[in-house]
Amino acid sequence: MPTKNMTDERLTKFKNKGKDPAKLREKRITECVELRKAHKSESFLKRRNITLSSLPDEDALSPDYTSNEMVTTLSIEDIIKAVNCECKESQTRGCQAARKLLSQERNPPLKEIIDAGLLSRFVSFLSMDDEPTLQFEAAWALTNIASGTSWHTQQVVEHGAVPAFISLLTSPMLHISEQAVWALGNIAGDGPAYRDVLIECNVIPALLSRISPDTPVGYLRNLTWTLSNLCRNKNPCPPLSAVMQVLPSLIQLLHLSDKDILSDACWAISYLSDGDNDRIDVVVKTGIIPRLVELMSHKELSVMTPALRSIGNIVSGSDLQTQAAVDAGVLNILPQLMRHPKASVQKEAAWALSNIAAGPCKQIQQVITCGLLPPLVEQLRNGDFKTQREAVWAVTNFTSGGTVEQVVTLVQCGALEAIINLLQVKDAKVILVILDAINNIFMAAEKLGETEKLSLLVEELGGLDRIETLQNHDNDTVYQAAHNLIERYFGDVSV
Amino acid sequence: MYMELNDANLQTLTEFLRKTLDPDPTVRRPAEKFLESVEGNQNYPLLLLTLLEKSQDNVIRVCAAVTFKNYIKRNWRIEDEPNKVSDPDRTAIKANIVNLMLSSPEQIQKQLSDAISIIGREDFPQKWPDLLTEMVTRFRSGDFHIINGVLRTAHSLFKRYRHEFKSNELWSEIKLVLDTFALPLTELFKATIELCQTHATDVNALKVLFSSLTLISKLFYSLNFQDLPEFFEDNMETWMTNFHGLLTLDNKLLQTDDEEEAGLLELLKSQICDNAALYAQKYDEEFQPYLPRFVTAIWNLLVSTGQEVKYDLLVSNAIQFLASVCERPHYKHLFEDQNTLTSICEKVIVPNMEFRSADEEAFEDNSEEYIRRDLEGSDIDTRRRAACDLVRGLCKFFEGPVTAIFSGYVNSMLGEYAKNPGENWKHKDAAIYLVTSLASKAQTQKHGITQANELVNLNEFFVNHILSDLKSPNVNEFPVLKADAIKYVMIFRSQLPKEQLLQAVPLLISHLQAESTVEHTYAAHALERLFTMRGPSNTTLITPAEMAPFTEQLLNNLFKSLALPGSAENEYIMKAIMRSFSLLQEAIVPYIPTLIGQLTHKLLLVSKNPSKPHFNHYLFESLCLSVRITCKANPATVSSFEEALFPVFTEILQNDVQEFLPYVFQVMSLLLEIHSNSIPSSYMALFPHLLQPALWERTGNIPPLVRLLQAYLEKGGATIAASAADKIPGLLGVFQKLIASKANDHQGFYLLNSIIEHMPPESITQYRKQIFILLFQRLQSSKTTKFIKSFLVFVNLYSVKYGAIALQEIFDSIQPKMFGMVLEKIIIPEVQKVSGPVEKKICAVGITKVLTECPAMMDTEYTKLWTPLLQALIGLFELPEDDSIPDDEHFIDIEDTPGYQTAFSQLAFAGKKEHDPIGDAVGNPKILLAQSLHKLSTACPGRVPSMLSTSLNAEALQYLQGYLQAATVQLV
């Protein structure tokens, strides 16, 4: 979404012909206050109860390892006793009971276990290489606790779990190593602070060393998810050195075919490209854009969404960065995504388009050539509101930077009519952006000496009525923009 | 100052408050002045609060409440003035006002509620953190008088969420409100609905409860406007189920007998329609499961709601909801059944397009309101407008079937009319209305194609059904149909062929004589619109030659129509007069001697009590046109205008008719500018009055007064120096006042530049240094881009007029080395920001002079600035303008908001030509630079080329060589 400053900046330039198109590009600002529910399409920050891929056969473990209901009935008191006991067997039994308790779907007793002071015990078990079962159960229990709120995660970290988990990564037992991957993923997902703590502890090389041609797919999935969490979050972004470390492996992962790996690797790229142009540059330089563009037509929504998001981020960058995406054929894919049945996809596609349309007229020309205008107008007419909002930005950006001929083409495709109809939306910002677009179109008409003709057209399309009505708008800026348009192009007095 | 909170002060305040209600201005004004003079005292607001709570006299209580509200409105927000509300008072007000508001009777409660929202706008939430919790606590009071007070206050605090732009700050506030308010509001909503059931038979209780529900629904709208909050998404079931229930609810006890005023039930239901429309438009994905139910409920509501005026808002909101839903592709299926469509057309659209008796009353008795609704599109909430929008919405997917249904209707209604026009004229009105709404739809879809849709051929309809009404010899028969016919011409003027329009013109002219206000107003308006139409070569479509046969009749009827009852200040007629003058140009000259008398007479009348700003504006525009057109043909006639106008103007000035002063100054400027280089004594007599500080206090006066003074200086600079030299300090006083203001400093520079340009140099010698010092003071206190731009133009104009040496000397006389500093810190870095061709030219010539005619630039420590200055000048010639503005600067650019300043009404026909003080003396500044450099180089051979080759950058050098070549000179 546009930031406030962005709009203010746009407004000060409201009438200027020589707009700086780079300033029209909008970045995704994730630190924005949100009123809505968190996005359902995003990947999860923390995970509990995922299935380990590398779980050994049941009988290789203690008999009651798997979800055998019979042994889960230990009370918290019994668990405490068992865990604090010196006997390995009861420790294992206590850990296991705790882990099962913590795995229950509803209200796992995270706090009770922490308050019982069991965390330091669990953490100390992690280093017991000769007791793999105990190690594993303790790791699992800690993982579940780390999947809770920030406070829960904090308890795990403060008990020294981070170095312990990192060394556990090298465990020869694949399922124990995988459990550590998962736990670290939960810790990294907590936020930038712990993410950077992990990075400081050299988690990245430790993780990457587990990637080999023989690594099982399931393990790779979890590992990719953990890597993506290490790329995630802003304020601050992950350190550049860490990004450079992780990128080559991410690129490798992106060339696999497993959809879950692809999805999380794409999410990782989308986080890394969600930043200023220097960050985008690092991603662009890997040469991954063509693959991302290819993945934008992946049949799985879970892959296509983050691929689209990544490309959307990249085209919010500089003209050169955008051009790289254009050269990779993004404009050939966008029309089908603009018409995707899911509204959230349409919206992301329209957002990407709006940023490409903010580029120089050469890129705008490619937008036209690749047939983006018909789907754009369709979205303006019939799209979901969120998509319409992005589409309106696309029109405004297009009309700010486009040549007179390009603007004429846009109007001929029906965009003017469509945005005029949208002047009745219940969103002051969108209205203002539309008025800006209308103003831009008038400036193009001025160059052709066809202002009068355009005034007439706007009037015929019902635009004059709507703009006049906006002179009663409670938002001063909207009122003034409407008033200026009326004064300038519909004023009655012509000397 | 401090006022004790004691009885004596309360008594005094009571006395003064009482006097402010006195009808006699000699009693009222001093009391108002007194209150204003003490409002900065500490405790003043607390005294008011005490009075509004405790005074024995109800009138004083209300008066104190209103005074308090206005006081808060003026002073709570601290702008530039000193803070008038002391901090202890602020704290005390915030601590008490909510309680006070809630315990006050309704009249006072409303004022305090407004005050709370003004304070809240500034202080909430940061500086008033406990307001929300305090309010929420009241929800549990169970007293609905108190609850409604809280809800009303919340509504005035939150309603801005409906129109403000998204920002982190705003959303943080909303989030905070949601966290504290959303759940209690939801609980209150549920509890209130239950109470409605418990008290279903108690009409008084129901009334209170239904006002609560309406307020709750309004709050719902505000809180859900910016985005769908998580809380409301999770609780959608509760809200929507209850909203739906309320929509379908009817309670005989709440029905009112009043035909006009909407009852509680109607108000609540229309707000619910709005809420549903908001969700349907913005949160479609989440709202989808509920939508069909709402469509059905609202549809049933429409079919069962009567024609009375009190239902208008409800009906129009309900129709608007259907209109916004039916054009969404995935709800198409709800409407596509042929029976549904027919039923919508028959039961919703047609009945709501009918001309009701209420419309008929408005047409006859309240024509102004009727016109505003029908003509100016302020019919937003009318049934007709909503019905039209629904037609358009349906046409998006069902144009064919809808058109077919309606053509049947149109034909049958026209048939009914033909059978018995006297009885059935309303049928024709409805038919015309249907055609209008359907046909404009067709234009949109076919994108500028002039033919209407299959329903009707616009031209044929004009010939067969419209023209007959226009031609009817009795203009006073069936005035509604006449007005319809005139409106038809106006609306479809671009679609009708020119010959039809020409045929209509004389008919419209004769309708100017109709008794019906609506009818003759529409005729004036239609003519005015036709006269603005443009033909193929961008001239007016209708030419003065084509108008020749009707000119006299047109002017006659227009002026006569101003004498018709109800139209003495009819803005449409006055605008048509202005437009006719503008179209006819020289053709009006013979009529002007008579017409000017009528116009000035009108002016004299309206100046007694200016009440119609548009009428007055067009009146002044018409005066300007008379002057321009006549004097263009014969400049000598200007004196006859002065003779006619000055007596009225004098009266306006003497009576200080504030609304008219900016106009008068503009017309006077126009007149004075027509004079050739001398200034009549009548103007000189007025000169001292124009410098009165009081005039300059009003922002609306400033632009036209500056222009008028500029005209004085241009025509009479020498006269002023010779015979009014004692007024020069006053003139400079005006400059000083303007320059101190960020908003008006550019006006100060306009004035200063005219002084420099037109006053004999010796007349201002003694003031020059002081002028520069003032400018420096302003530079130091608040430097804005606008100021710098104006400053640069002035400095360079000074160099052009008085020479570069004079410029350098005056700077250095203020402080040694000052000139170098100005060059280095201002001129060189900022000159790229100068905008406007004339301004750029002045700077180019001024800088050229500094470079080539100022010895100090060659032989002192200033020499190091010579090349940078030259480089800056070449930049000014060649580089794009630097329109960047520092981030911290709120740029006040008057040019960016043409005519926006509320108090200043610029007259288009008083327009001023752009003035170029350099004029033809310098054709091409680049050549001038080349020639001047050449001259300089011959004076000191070798210097110039060496300075150029050492430090001028290559690109600039290349441009410079281009200029030298073009001027065919060489540097030596």
Side-chain angles (χ1 to χ4, degrees), chain A residues 38-66:
Chain A
H39 257 285
K40 294 157 205 155
S41 60
E42 310 265 316
S43 91
F44 290 101
L45 275 166
K46 295 179 183 172
R47 294 177 177 175
R48 214 158 55 83
N49 296 340
I50 52 170
T51 351
L52 288 191
S53 66
S54 47
L55 213 56
D57 292 338
E58 271 186 39
D59 36 54
L61 291 158
S62 64
D64 50 8
Y65 169 72
T66 44

mmCIF file of all heavy atoms in Angstrom, chain A residues 38-66:
data_model
loop_
_atom_site.group_PDB
_atom_site.id
_atom_site.type_symbol
_atom_site.label_atom_id
_atom_site.label_comp_id
_atom_site.label_asym_id
_atom_site.label_seq_id
_atom_site.Cartn_x
_atom_site.Cartn_y
_atom_site.Cartn_z
ATOM 1 N N ALA A 38 -4.780 -11.334 9.855
ATOM 2 C CA ALA A 38 -3.533 -11.623 9.149
ATOM 3 C C ALA A 38 -3.856 -12.411 7.880
ATOM 4 O O ALA A 38 -4.831 -13.161 7.838
ATOM 5 C CB ALA A 38 -2.622 -12.430 10.045
ATOM 6 N N HIS A 39 -3.035 -12.213 6.873
ATOM 7 C CA HIS A 39 -3.274 -12.844 5.583
ATOM 8 C C HIS A 39 -3.335 -14.358 5.673
ATOM 9 O O HIS A 39 -2.462 -14.993 6.240
ATOM 10 C CB HIS A 39 -2.146 -12.472 4.630
ATOM 11 C CG HIS A 39 -2.579 -11.433 3.675
ATOM 12 N ND1 HIS A 39 -3.399 -11.717 2.624
ATOM 13 C CD2 HIS A 39 -2.319 -10.106 3.632
ATOM 14 C CE1 HIS A 39 -3.628 -10.591 1.969
ATOM 15 N NE2 HIS A 39 -2.996 -9.607 2.551
ATOM 16 N N LYS A 40 -4.357 -14.912 5.065
ATOM 17 C CA LYS A 40 -4.457 -16.361 5.123
ATOM 18 C C LYS A 40 -3.488 -17.020 4.145
ATOM 19 O O LYS A 40 -3.106 -18.168 4.301
ATOM 20 C CB LYS A 40 -5.890 -16.778 4.799
ATOM 21 C CG LYS A 40 -6.858 -16.298 5.864
ATOM 22 C CD LYS A 40 -8.275 -16.188 5.295
ATOM 23 C CE LYS A 40 -9.073 -15.176 6.089
ATOM 24 N NZ LYS A 40 -10.170 -14.577 5.344
ATOM 25 N N SER A 41 -3.114 -16.264 3.120
ATOM 26 C CA SER A 41 -2.289 -16.894 2.083
ATOM 27 C C SER A 41 -0.810 -16.937 2.456
ATOM 28 O O SER A 41 -0.035 -17.663 1.870
ATOM 29 C CB SER A 41 -2.453 -16.138 0.781
ATOM 30 O OG SER A 41 -2.034 -14.812 0.971
ATOM 31 N N GLU A 42 -0.421 -16.157 3.447
ATOM 32 C CA GLU A 42 0.992 -16.132 3.797
ATOM 33 C C GLU A 42 1.412 -17.474 4.409
ATOM 34 O O GLU A 42 0.600 -18.214 4.939
ATOM 35 C CB GLU A 42 1.249 -15.036 4.837
ATOM 36 C CG GLU A 42 0.671 -13.704 4.481
ATOM 37 C CD GLU A 42 1.671 -12.802 3.789
ATOM 38 O OE1 GLU A 42 2.808 -12.748 4.253
ATOM 39 O OE2 GLU A 42 1.302 -12.160 2.795
ATOM 40 N N SER A 43 2.700 -17.733 4.375
ATOM 41 C CA SER A 43 3.139 -18.969 5.010
ATOM 42 C C SER A 43 3.198 -18.728 6.516
ATOM 43 O O SER A 43 3.243 -17.612 6.982
ATOM 44 C CB SER A 43 4.501 -19.390 4.464
ATOM 45 O OG SER A 43 5.523 -18.846 5.238
ATOM 46 N N PHE A 44 3.177 -19.826 7.284
ATOM 47 C CA PHE A 44 3.077 -19.670 8.728
ATOM 48 C C PHE A 44 4.384 -19.193 9.331
ATOM 49 O O PHE A 44 5.463 -19.579 8.908
ATOM 50 C CB PHE A 44 2.692 -20.993 9.372
ATOM 51 C CG PHE A 44 1.294 -21.375 9.067
ATOM 52 C CD1 PHE A 44 1.013 -22.327 8.089
ATOM 53 C CD2 PHE A 44 0.240 -20.767 9.732
ATOM 54 C CE1 PHE A 44 -0.288 -22.659 7.793
ATOM 55 C CE2 PHE A 44 -1.062 -21.111 9.430
ATOM 56 C CZ PHE A 44 -1.333 -22.059 8.465
ATOM 57 N N LEU A 45 4.266 -18.338 10.339
ATOM 58 C CA LEU A 45 5.441 -17.873 11.048
ATOM 59 C C LEU A 45 6.049 -18.986 11.890
ATOM 60 O O LEU A 45 7.241 -19.175 11.950
ATOM 61 C CB LEU A 45 5.038 -16.751 11.995
ATOM 62 C CG LEU A 45 4.975 -15.362 11.414
ATOM 63 C CD1 LEU A 45 4.252 -14.453 12.363
ATOM 64 C CD2 LEU A 45 6.374 -14.838 11.173
ATOM 65 N N LYS A 46 5.167 -19.692 12.583
ATOM 66 C CA LYS A 46 5.632 -20.761 13.461
ATOM 67 C C LYS A 46 4.763 -21.984 13.201
ATOM 68 O O LYS A 46 3.623 -21.860 12.814
ATOM 69 C CB LYS A 46 5.485 -20.339 14.925
ATOM 70 C CG LYS A 46 6.382 -19.174 15.304
ATOM 71 C CD LYS A 46 6.205 -18.778 16.724
ATOM 72 C CE LYS A 46 7.067 -17.555 17.033
ATOM 73 N NZ LYS A 46 6.792 -17.018 18.359
ATOM 74 N N ARG A 47 5.308 -23.120 13.427
ATOM 75 C CA ARG A 47 4.542 -24.336 13.169
ATOM 76 C C ARG A 47 4.617 -25.287 14.353
ATOM 77 O O ARG A 47 5.665 -25.452 14.970
ATOM 78 C CB ARG A 47 5.091 -25.065 11.946
ATOM 79 C CG ARG A 47 4.896 -24.279 10.667
ATOM 80 C CD ARG A 47 5.512 -25.014 9.526
ATOM 81 N NE ARG A 47 5.266 -24.279 8.295
ATOM 82 C CZ ARG A 47 5.768 -24.639 7.128
ATOM 83 N NH1 ARG A 47 6.540 -25.715 7.039
ATOM 84 N NH2 ARG A 47 5.500 -23.941 6.062
ATOM 85 N N ARG A 48 3.522 -25.899 14.592
ATOM 86 C CA ARG A 48 3.482 -26.904 15.629
ATOM 87 C C ARG A 48 2.934 -28.167 14.967
ATOM 88 O O ARG A 48 2.156 -28.103 14.007
ATOM 89 C CB ARG A 48 2.520 -26.451 16.736
ATOM 90 C CG ARG A 48 2.932 -26.867 18.123
ATOM 91 C CD ARG A 48 2.274 -25.941 19.138
ATOM 92 N NE ARG A 48 0.824 -25.905 18.983
ATOM 93 C CZ ARG A 48 0.004 -26.821 19.502
ATOM 94 N NH1 ARG A 48 0.476 -27.811 20.212
ATOM 95 N NH2 ARG A 48 -1.284 -26.717 19.333
ATOM 96 N N ASN A 49 3.321 -29.321 15.507
ATOM 97 C CA ASN A 49 2.729 -30.565 15.022
ATOM 98 C C ASN A 49 2.866 -30.785 13.527
ATOM 99 O O ASN A 49 1.917 -31.166 12.862
ATOM 100 C CB ASN A 49 1.242 -30.624 15.362
ATOM 101 C CG ASN A 49 1.057 -30.648 16.851
ATOM 102 O OD1 ASN A 49 1.985 -30.994 17.577
ATOM 103 N ND2 ASN A 49 -0.115 -30.277 17.303
ATOM 104 N N ILE A 50 3.973 -30.431 12.970
ATOM 105 C CA ILE A 50 4.176 -30.873 11.602
ATOM 106 C C ILE A 50 4.680 -32.311 11.676
ATOM 107 O O ILE A 50 5.120 -32.771 12.729
ATOM 108 C CB ILE A 50 5.198 -30.009 10.836
ATOM 109 C CG1 ILE A 50 6.484 -29.888 11.632
ATOM 110 C CG2 ILE A 50 4.617 -28.672 10.513
ATOM 111 C CD1 ILE A 50 7.594 -29.278 10.853
ATOM 112 N N THR A 51 4.617 -32.993 10.563
ATOM 113 C CA THR A 51 5.104 -34.373 10.570
ATOM 114 C C THR A 51 6.550 -34.380 10.151
ATOM 115 O O THR A 51 6.916 -33.764 9.157
ATOM 116 C CB THR A 51 4.336 -35.231 9.554
ATOM 117 O OG1 THR A 51 3.255 -34.450 9.084
ATOM 118 C CG2 THR A 51 3.892 -36.520 10.151
ATOM 119 N N LEU A 52 7.337 -35.037 10.904
ATOM 120 C CA LEU A 52 8.727 -35.179 10.513
ATOM 121 C C LEU A 52 8.786 -36.199 9.378
ATOM 122 O O LEU A 52 8.148 -37.242 9.438
ATOM 123 C CB LEU A 52 9.559 -35.683 11.693
ATOM 124 C CG LEU A 52 9.808 -34.674 12.812
ATOM 125 C CD1 LEU A 52 10.853 -35.231 13.745
ATOM 126 C CD2 LEU A 52 10.255 -33.351 12.243
ATOM 127 N N SER A 53 9.548 -35.872 8.399
ATOM 128 C CA SER A 53 9.653 -36.799 7.272
ATOM 129 C C SER A 53 10.550 -37.977 7.637
ATOM 130 O O SER A 53 10.396 -39.085 7.169
ATOM 131 C CB SER A 53 10.263 -36.069 6.091
ATOM 132 O OG SER A 53 11.592 -35.733 6.411
ATOM 133 N N SER A 54 11.503 -37.675 8.497
ATOM 134 C CA SER A 54 12.552 -38.668 8.722
ATOM 135 C C SER A 54 12.311 -39.508 9.964
ATOM 136 O O SER A 54 13.229 -40.031 10.554
ATOM 137 C CB SER A 54 13.895 -37.953 8.845
ATOM 138 O OG SER A 54 13.745 -36.863 9.725
ATOM 139 N N LEU A 55 11.053 -39.520 10.373
ATOM 140 C CA LEU A 55 10.737 -40.304 11.556
ATOM 141 C C LEU A 55 11.107 -41.770 11.313
ATOM 142 O O LEU A 55 10.680 -42.366 10.334
ATOM 143 C CB LEU A 55 9.240 -40.187 11.832
ATOM 144 C CG LEU A 55 8.805 -40.219 13.283
ATOM 145 C CD1 LEU A 55 9.517 -39.135 14.085
ATOM 146 C CD2 LEU A 55 7.305 -40.006 13.339
ATOM 147 N N PRO A 56 11.879 -42.348 12.209
ATOM 148 C CA PRO A 56 12.248 -43.754 11.997
ATOM 149 C C PRO A 56 11.014 -44.642 12.168
ATOM 150 O O PRO A 56 9.991 -44.201 12.693
ATOM 151 C CB PRO A 56 13.247 -44.025 13.122
ATOM 152 C CG PRO A 56 13.525 -42.724 13.783
ATOM 153 C CD PRO A 56 12.441 -41.799 13.434
ATOM 154 N N ASP A 57 11.165 -45.876 11.740
ATOM 155 C CA ASP A 57 10.050 -46.797 11.929
ATOM 156 C C ASP A 57 9.701 -46.870 13.394
ATOM 157 O O ASP A 57 10.559 -46.749 14.267
ATOM 158 C CB ASP A 57 10.436 -48.211 11.449
ATOM 159 C CG ASP A 57 10.597 -48.208 9.953
ATOM 160 O OD1 ASP A 57 10.017 -47.299 9.325
ATOM 161 O OD2 ASP A 57 11.335 -49.063 9.446
ATOM 162 N N GLU A 58 8.452 -47.104 13.623
ATOM 163 C CA GLU A 58 7.981 -47.086 15.001
ATOM 164 C C GLU A 58 8.826 -47.988 15.914
ATOM 165 O O GLU A 58 9.250 -47.588 16.982
ATOM 166 C CB GLU A 58 6.541 -47.577 15.065
ATOM 167 C CG GLU A 58 5.571 -46.437 14.892
ATOM 168 C CD GLU A 58 4.156 -46.911 15.090
ATOM 169 O OE1 GLU A 58 3.937 -47.744 15.995
ATOM 170 O OE2 GLU A 58 3.284 -46.454 14.332
ATOM 171 N N ASP A 59 9.099 -49.194 15.432
ATOM 172 C CA ASP A 59 9.742 -50.131 16.329
ATOM 173 C C ASP A 59 11.218 -49.832 16.570
ATOM 174 O O ASP A 59 11.838 -50.393 17.434
ATOM 175 C CB ASP A 59 9.557 -51.569 15.847
ATOM 176 C CG ASP A 59 9.598 -51.635 14.357
ATOM 177 O OD1 ASP A 59 10.604 -51.125 13.774
ATOM 178 O OD2 ASP A 59 8.624 -52.109 13.769
ATOM 179 N N ALA A 60 11.758 -48.933 15.793
ATOM 180 C CA ALA A 60 13.137 -48.544 16.048
ATOM 181 C C ALA A 60 13.236 -47.668 17.287
ATOM 182 O O ALA A 60 14.291 -47.488 17.853
ATOM 183 C CB ALA A 60 13.724 -47.801 14.853
ATOM 184 N N LEU A 61 12.110 -47.112 17.666
ATOM 185 C CA LEU A 61 12.109 -46.256 18.832
ATOM 186 C C LEU A 61 11.501 -47.022 19.999
ATOM 187 O O LEU A 61 11.116 -48.175 19.880
ATOM 188 C CB LEU A 61 11.269 -45.010 18.561
ATOM 189 C CG LEU A 61 11.873 -44.036 17.550
ATOM 190 C CD1 LEU A 61 10.789 -43.173 16.977
ATOM 191 C CD2 LEU A 61 12.957 -43.213 18.214
ATOM 192 N N SER A 62 11.414 -46.346 21.085
ATOM 193 C CA SER A 62 10.792 -47.001 22.223
ATOM 194 C C SER A 62 9.353 -47.348 21.870
ATOM 195 O O SER A 62 8.738 -46.670 21.055
ATOM 196 C CB SER A 62 10.841 -46.082 23.430
ATOM 197 O OG SER A 62 10.073 -44.934 23.162
ATOM 198 N N PRO A 63 8.823 -48.369 22.450
ATOM 199 C CA PRO A 63 7.528 -48.888 22.041
ATOM 200 C C PRO A 63 6.418 -47.835 22.066
ATOM 201 O O PRO A 63 5.529 -47.861 21.228
ATOM 202 C CB PRO A 63 7.248 -49.993 23.066
ATOM 203 C CG PRO A 63 8.365 -50.002 24.027
ATOM 204 C CD PRO A 63 9.445 -49.135 23.531
ATOM 205 N N ASP A 64 6.475 -46.964 23.013
ATOM 206 C CA ASP A 64 5.347 -46.027 23.117
ATOM 207 C C ASP A 64 5.676 -44.667 22.466
ATOM 208 O O ASP A 64 5.198 -43.642 22.887
ATOM 209 C CB ASP A 64 4.954 -45.843 24.568
ATOM 210 C CG ASP A 64 6.156 -45.538 25.433
ATOM 211 O OD1 ASP A 64 7.252 -45.324 24.851
ATOM 212 O OD2 ASP A 64 5.992 -45.502 26.649
ATOM 213 N N TYR A 65 6.500 -44.690 21.458
ATOM 214 C CA TYR A 65 6.899 -43.422 20.860
ATOM 215 C C TYR A 65 5.736 -42.693 20.188
ATOM 216 O O TYR A 65 5.488 -41.522 20.424
ATOM 217 C CB TYR A 65 8.021 -43.633 19.838
ATOM 218 C CG TYR A 65 8.251 -42.395 19.030
ATOM 219 C CD1 TYR A 65 8.869 -41.292 19.637
ATOM 220 C CD2 TYR A 65 7.797 -42.293 17.728
ATOM 221 C CE1 TYR A 65 9.038 -40.142 18.941
ATOM 222 C CE2 TYR A 65 7.966 -41.130 17.035
ATOM 223 C CZ TYR A 65 8.588 -40.060 17.635
ATOM 224 O OH TYR A 65 8.751 -38.923 16.960
ATOM 225 N N THR A 66 5.031 -43.378 19.364
ATOM 226 C CA THR A 66 4.006 -42.683 18.576
ATOM 227 C C THR A 66 2.737 -42.454 19.381
ATOM 228 O O THR A 66 2.635 -42.841 20.525
ATOM 229 C CB THR A 66 3.664 -43.473 17.290
ATOM 230 O OG1 THR A 66 3.555 -44.825 17.647
ATOM 231 C CG2 THR A 66 4.723 -43.283 16.242
#
